[in-house]
Amino acid sequence: MVLTSPVASTPSLGEYAATPDRFDECKTPGGKLRPHWQPVANYLQSLGNQGMNERVATIDELVHENGTTFNVDSEEGRLVRPWRLSSIPLVIDSASWAKLEAGLAQRTLLLEAVLEDLLGEQRLVKEKIVPPDVLWANPYFQRAYHQMPSCGGKRLHITATDIARATDGTWWVTSDRTRAPSGLGYLLENRIVTTRVFPQVVRQCNTRRLASFFDSLRNHLRSLAPRMRDNPRVALLTPGHDSYREFEDAYLARYLGLTLVEGTDLAARGGQLNLKTLGGLLPIEVLWRHVSDRKCDPLELDPDSIEGVTGLLRSVREKNVAVVNSIGSVMAQTPALLPFLPAASQLLLGEPLSLPNVATYWCGGKKECDYVLSNLDSLVIRPAFVVSGVPPVAPSTLSSSARDELVAAIKDKPREFVAQQKLAHSTTPVWTDGQLEPWFLALRCFQLQTAEGVEVLPGALARVSPREQELDRSHASGHLTMDCWVSSTQPIDTETTLLPPADAKIVLKRSGDELPSRVAEHLFWLGRYAERAEAITRLLRTTIVRLAGENELRDMPEIPRLLAALAAIGQIEPGYAVTGLDGNLPRVEDMLPSSIMDRNQPRGLQATIRSIVMNASAVRDRISIDAYRIIQRIGSDTMEKTLHPGENMGRVIERLNLLITDLLAFAGVASESTTRTHAWRFLQLGRRIERADQTAELLDATLVNPVGNETSVCEGVLDALDSMMTYRSRYLNLVRPAPTIDLLVTDETNPRSLSFQLHEIAALISQLPTGAKIVGLGADEKVASRMLHLLRMADPVQLSEVSGNKNRPHLERLLEQLIRGLPSLSDAIAARYLIHTGTTQILTGVGAPELD
């Protein structure tokens, strides 16, 4: 968001100039401020320019700290973009909202009736209200959807409606979302952030709260359980951490207290849907799915899908699991249905449709197709059967050749297109470039259908943009989002909360076996990559600090060894370790800063930090908010800033210091704020295995082959392994190989030593679930015990002895065994506990990707 320019005006809604030919949410056609906007106007006036810009900065900081992002597909691939929230809310008066609320509730009932009919009796087709091709030509219709049982007597539980307000102030529906509507999490995040920044104004506007809707949603999901209704296991099925729903699904799961799962976490056995965990299979009672209908069950639907669960449809038919929304609900959001909803309302509900659609024409009818081809300039063209992220085509903006191609495509396959009348969106004030400007507005409203009726969320996901055409795309489009406040004339409910009632009875337990193996794998690798990043950063800092000193390179015998260690862990070219500093390579002082930020090194610092962020994102519902914020800062501070050859060494060292501080902060939060369950154990296993591996590689590159003056080499190794303070406290300034090797290899009291890592690894493995009783140790336990035994039997004095070949053969042999054994240990743990995890991603589908 752009901050104020030097000549910016005061944020006064009194001086705000609305667009003359559009309905403005803030001002009347006569230019008067609408009464429900007065508290906002007063507050903005009191803030002044500086105060407004401070609020803008605070909003951006909160959104950044919370890691609020959305994923979009582009020509460059999947991009992660920050969520953007306007500093000014949208305020809707209670009378206007009441009319809209009634229309949204009626529309939900109509879509429920339409879906029930299309997947059942099909009266709409038989009585020629809906043309047969709208159903049978739809590539997303599957015969398996027909007569699928509903849960709780409903097929549609959570729906969304995209609307816009025309010039006369009338609300028009542009599309429906009935499959798995997205945006609820972002809407909630908008409200939480805005309330923190403008708490007084929220109260002064008597803004209706959102908590009651989410409380109803959680209670409704629990009520659908076929069994165990007192405390059922409710899971949210997400497409995966790389989908566009990544942030939102994790956010909703955490807020509502649901179990976030992917398809690989689930298994259908004997008609029962189960969660695969380290301790065995646990039954799932309710599944809130955010996966496409056709991807829910590869056995009966899309055989290439990895997002769903084989046998899920059988579990639904046997009524062993409640699925929200019902599989097949995608049919009710088909754009080609829109023209026929008014007649369907008369037939199925016996009443007219109160909330009208924007004029929509399905080109499968000859009359409608002829009209569309004759009036292209006033229409936009969309796919007829899929709601996708592909923007609609405005023929009036096309070149002659592109227009001819579109006309030919419509004539060739008319039933695959719908056309909609261009809608003049309303406007609302936005603070941008230091002034208030009218931007175009679109809303996404949400409805919850329960046994008692339809509850409309008192607010909406509002999107604004200076370019009107941007609002015709998905909910992630548009320049900014807004928090939508519905003002009320009645006292606001301040009692509703998502906290459980005080008298709720819960069975006390201290378990952790319910950890899904996929989550365990991500936590394991999160620990490994976090430790790897710290080891790389410490070694880089140790090397650069010496290069930045006053000594000449020839006077620092530790530098070649440190460079060899950097080469061994993939941070610099091996040539620096082979030819030393006299080869034809660039000067090491020039090379290191750019090497730190090189995104093309597969084992480099940048790649390691990307892996930290990726694994943390995949399990963000399992780690604390503070821990995730630290990871977000690590990712943004490291990957968004660059260093260049010849960069000031002091600045490079400062950046490395900050990174180490953040990595230690994450390690501290993960250690001190995580319950000692299997989630913590896998995170720690990853850290300990990686620390042992990095330490062994460093010692192998530096101490196995001694140099003339080993004091400086030992000091460099002690610095890189954060053990210099401990060494000095024991031996003062006398630095020698034997005590150095003892401290870093065989001392079980030093948290940085190899012995300490293997001791901790063995203890952690012993606490993992074993399943069926086996005779003797598991493969992972055997490998860990063997390496721990080697270290316990090692003599540090013997390890430090130098042979006639000028090397330390006992140390070399021990390190080689550890360097070979640690990967075997990691593989053994994966084979025993993480076997359910799948990583292959297959992109399939008919036409454009579906979005909700």
Side-chain angles (χ1 to χ4, degrees):
M1 188 172 293
V2 182
L3 299 181
T4 295
S5 61
V7 295
S9 59
T10 302
S12 170
L13 287 178
E15 300 175 3
Y16 162 70
T19 303
D21 59 342
R22 299 297 174 94
F23 182 94
D24 191 82
E25 301 292 337
C26 178
K27 285 194 169 182
T28 66
K32 292 184 179 180
L33 190 70
R34 300 187 190 275
H36 53 282
W37 276 83
Q38 192 61 54
V40 176
N42 295 340
Y43 189 70
L44 295 182
Q45 188 73 34
S46 69
L47 284 179
N49 218 320
Q50 181 178 352
M52 191 64 189
N53 287 320
E54 289 175 354
R55 300 312 186 275
V56 170
T58 301
I59 288 174
D60 289 346
E61 288 175 6
L62 287 172
V63 170
H64 178 75
E65 286 181 3
N66 292 343
T68 313
T69 59
F70 65 97
N71 297 343
V72 294
D73 291 317
S74 68
E75 293 180 357
E76 293 80 23
R78 178 62 53 87
L79 299 178
V80 179
R81 293 181 179 174
W83 190 250
R84 302 195 65 199
L85 174 60
S86 170
S87 56
I88 297 179
L90 168 70
V91 187
I92 300 178
D93 66 285
S94 57
S96 176
W97 183 260
K99 295 179 181 178
L100 178 58
E101 193 172 34
L104 292 169
Q106 183 210 40
R107 192 175 189 89
T108 302
L109 296 175
L110 173 60
L111 292 174
E112 171 71 29
V114 168
L115 184 61
E116 179 68 23
D117 179 76
L118 292 179
L119 300 185
E121 188 179 355
Q122 299 181 345
R123 286 180 60 201
L124 292 172
V125 176
K126 294 174 182 175
E127 301 193 24
K128 299 182 180 180
I129 300 295
V130 174
D133 277 354
V134 170
L135 185 63
W136 308 123
N138 189 338
Y140 293 91
F141 176 70
Q142 302 279 345
R143 292 187 179 275
Y145 301 160
H146 191 64
Q147 295 185 337
M148 283 286 292
S150 60
C151 56
K154 308 293 180 185
R155 295 185 182 276
L156 300 179
H157 301 265
I158 305 161
T159 61
T161 310
D162 291 332
I163 61 173
R165 201 190 309 241
T167 306
D168 62 357
T170 303
W171 291 106
W172 293 81
V173 175
T174 58
S175 62
D176 298 294
R177 296 293 191 276
T178 60
R179 178 178 69 91
S182 58
L184 264 180
Y186 292 111
L187 180 152
L188 181 59
E189 169 74 348
N190 285 355
R191 174 59 55 87
I192 290 173
V193 171
T194 307
T195 302
R196 290 179 181 174
V197 178
F198 303 111
Q200 309 96 321
V201 196
V202 172
R203 291 191 290 269
Q204 291 168 6
C205 286
N206 211 24
T207 306
R208 291 176 61 181
R209 301 180 70 211
L210 305 180
S212 60
F213 179 88
F214 286 95
D215 185 53
S216 297
L217 171 58
R218 186 176 65 175
N219 290 336
H220 177 64
L221 291 174
R222 290 162 55 91
S223 73
L224 297 175
R227 298 169 300 276
M228 302 171 59
R229 292 196 175 186
D230 289 340
N231 194 18
R233 181 170 285 103
V234 182
L236 193 162
L237 177 61
T238 181
H241 67 272
D242 193 39
S243 80
Y244 73 99
R245 306 197 68 131
E246 176 184 355
F247 166 82
E248 182 174 28
D249 287 350
Y251 191 89
L252 287 172
R254 185 192 293 273
Y255 186 78
L256 295 171
L258 309 180
T259 301
L260 185 66
V261 299
E262 296 181 16
T264 53
D265 297 328
L266 304 176
R269 298 286 188 272
Q272 172 66 57
L273 184 66
N274 300 282
L275 176 65
K276 297 186 294 191
T277 73
L278 299 178
L281 299 178
L282 298 177
I284 295 288
E285 300 292 328
V286 181
L287 188 68
W288 182 11
R289 66 172 181 96
H290 286 171
V291 168
S292 299
D293 298 66
R294 70 184 188 279
K295 292 184 178 293
C296 282
D297 188 342
L299 180 64
E300 297 192 46
L301 300 171
D302 182 355
D304 295 325
S305 170
I306 62 169
E307 295 178 3
V309 187
T310 300
L312 177 60
L313 264 60
R314 176 189 169 187
S315 299
V316 173
R317 291 192 188 98
E318 295 184 8
K319 300 184 179 180
N320 289 327
V321 64
V323 176
V324 175
N325 284 338
S326 173
I327 297 174
S329 59
V330 66
M331 301 306 299
Q333 71 179 28
T334 303
L337 269 178
L338 285 173
F340 312 106
L341 290 182
S345 181
Q346 289 288 358
L347 177 68
L348 300 177
L349 302 184
E351 58 188 32
L353 189 61
S354 61
L355 190 60
N357 309 313
V358 64
T360 306
Y361 309 92
W362 179 53
C363 296
K366 185 179 185 309
K367 178 181 175 182
E368 290 80 2
C369 186
D370 291 342
Y371 175 84
V372 168
L373 293 174
S374 301
N375 296 272
L376 282 176
D377 288 339
S378 62
L379 302 170
V380 293
I381 309 299
R382 298 176 180 271
F385 298 114
V386 61
V387 177
S388 73
V390 179
V393 177
S396 60
T397 65
L398 298 178
S399 64
S400 297
S401 59
R403 185 188 179 98
D404 291 341
E405 290 178 6
L406 176 63
V407 170
I410 294 174
K411 288 181 177 180
D412 182 43
K413 297 180 179 179
R415 64 188 184 185
E416 294 186 5
F417 297 91
V418 296
Q420 288 186 325
Q421 199 72 37
K422 290 181 180 178
L423 186 64
H425 294 76
S426 63
T427 57
T428 192
V430 172
W431 180 254
T432 179
D433 291 335
Q435 60 186 352
L436 292 168
E437 293 183 359
W439 281 19
F440 300 105
L441 169 72
L443 298 183
R444 172 167 290 188
C445 302
F446 294 87
Q447 300 78 236
L448 171 66
Q449 186 178 203
T450 68
E452 289 73 34
V454 178
E455 181 176 348
V456 179
L457 183 143
L461 182 64
R463 297 179 294 123
V464 288
S465 175
R467 295 175 290 277
E468 193 170 15
Q469 64 272 19
E470 282 190 351
L471 300 177
D472 292 328
R473 304 179 67 176
S474 72
H475 79 282
S477 64
H479 214 69
L480 288 172
T481 61
M482 277 184 164
D483 189 16
C484 178
W485 298 356
V486 177
S487 63
S488 176
T489 57
Q490 304 296 323
I492 297 300
D493 169 29
T494 59
E495 301 298 325
T496 301
T497 175
L498 286 187
L499 295 174
D503 59 351
K505 294 183 179 180
I506 299 177
V507 177
L508 300 181
K509 59 181 180 179
R510 291 184 178 90
S511 65
D513 289 359
E514 66 275 9
L515 182 72
S517 53
R518 175 190 60 84
V519 175
E521 183 186 35
H522 282 297
L523 289 169
F524 177 78
W525 283 102
L526 174 60
R528 290 204 65 166
Y529 284 120
E531 189 63 37
R532 185 177 302 176
E534 184 183 337
I536 292 171
T537 308
R538 286 187 181 280
L539 183 55
L540 285 167
R541 185 179 66 176
T542 299
T543 307
I544 292 175
V545 164
R546 282 159 173 75
L547 291 173
E550 60 184 9
N551 292 336
E552 296 292 334
L553 290 178
R554 62 177 177 272
D555 299 327
M556 294 185 288
E558 73 273 23
I559 290 297
R561 297 305 171 87
L562 294 175
L563 292 177
L566 286 170
I569 61 174
Q571 304 311 300
I572 60 173
E573 294 181 31
Y576 283 98
V578 175
T579 64
L581 303 176
D582 300 324
N584 296 321
L585 297 169
R587 289 197 322 150
V588 69
E589 303 97 310
D590 297 332
M591 175 276 303
L592 276 179
S594 57
S595 173
I596 293 170
M597 293 300 160
D598 187 352
R599 292 176 169 84
N600 297 319
Q601 290 190 62
R603 296 171 60 194
L605 183 60
Q606 285 286 317
T608 302
I609 290 176
R610 281 200 306 271
S611 297
I612 292 174
V613 174
M614 182 198 73
N615 282 280
S617 297
V619 292
R620 65 178 298 163
D621 62 312
R622 298 278 180 159
I623 59 179
S624 72
I625 294 174
D626 289 331
Y628 192 76
R629 284 175 178 167
I630 294 170
I631 290 172
Q632 287 292 114
R633 186 168 69 230
I634 290 171
S636 61
D637 287 352
T638 306
M639 292 187 287
E640 294 175 7
K641 300 174 183 177
T642 58
L643 292 171
H644 307 285
E647 188 78 58
N648 179 281
M649 283 297 189
R651 184 168 177 266
V652 176
I653 294 169
E654 179 186 2
R655 290 281 297 279
L656 295 174
N657 287 338
L658 291 173
L659 178 56
I660 290 174
T661 300
D662 283 341
L663 289 167
L664 289 175
F666 170 67
V669 172
S671 175
E672 297 302 320
S673 300
T674 306
T675 308
R676 268 40 176 180
T677 61
H678 293 320
W680 175 81
R681 292 184 185 102
F682 273 94
L683 182 66
Q684 292 302 312
L685 269 174
R687 297 192 73 95
R688 297 302 173 188
I689 290 175
E690 188 65 33
R691 182 175 292 184
D693 187 48
Q694 294 290 330
T695 300
E697 290 280 8
L698 175 60
L699 295 175
D700 185 59
T702 53
L703 296 182
V704 166
N705 297 301
V707 295
N709 178 12
E710 288 199 273
T711 296
S712 59
V713 176
C714 290
E715 287 178 342
V717 174
L718 289 166
D719 274 343
L721 294 178
D722 194 28
S723 295
M724 180 60 81
M725 182 181 67
T726 304
Y727 188 95
R728 296 289 190 197
S729 69
R730 293 181 183 179
Y731 306 107
L732 301 180
N733 293 321
L734 193 61
V735 181
R736 295 291 183 267
T740 299
I741 290 171
D742 174 49
L743 181 62
L744 300 178
V745 177
T746 56
D747 185 353
E748 289 191 1
T749 67
N750 178 19
R752 296 283 171 176
S753 76
L754 290 170
S755 289
F756 187 94
Q757 311 316 314
L758 267 299
H759 181 272
E760 290 295 304
I761 289 168
L764 289 165
I765 291 176
S766 70
Q767 298 175 62
L768 295 178
T770 57
K773 187 65 178 177
I774 60 173
V775 177
L777 300 176
D780 53 341
E781 294 173 297
K782 290 179 180 178
V783 176
S785 297
R786 190 178 302 118
M787 288 190 291
L788 180 57
H789 177 72
L790 287 173
L791 287 164
R792 284 177 170 170
M793 297 300 294
D795 179 355
V797 175
Q798 187 182 49
L799 293 176
S800 64
E801 292 176 353
V802 179
S803 70
N805 293 328
K806 302 299 182 181
N807 71 337
R808 293 189 168 95
H810 299 289
L811 179 62
E812 183 177 29
R813 190 179 309 113
L814 175 63
L815 293 176
E816 285 178 354
Q817 289 176 299
L818 295 177
I819 291 171
R820 289 198 308 268
L822 287 165
S824 298
L825 173 60
S826 181
D827 292 343
I829 291 172
R832 187 172 184 181
Y833 296 106
L834 311 178
I835 195 150
H836 300 309
T837 303
T839 57
T840 305
Q841 294 188 355
I842 304 172
L843 299 178
T844 60
V846 181
E850 288 184 73
L851 292 177
D852 291 308

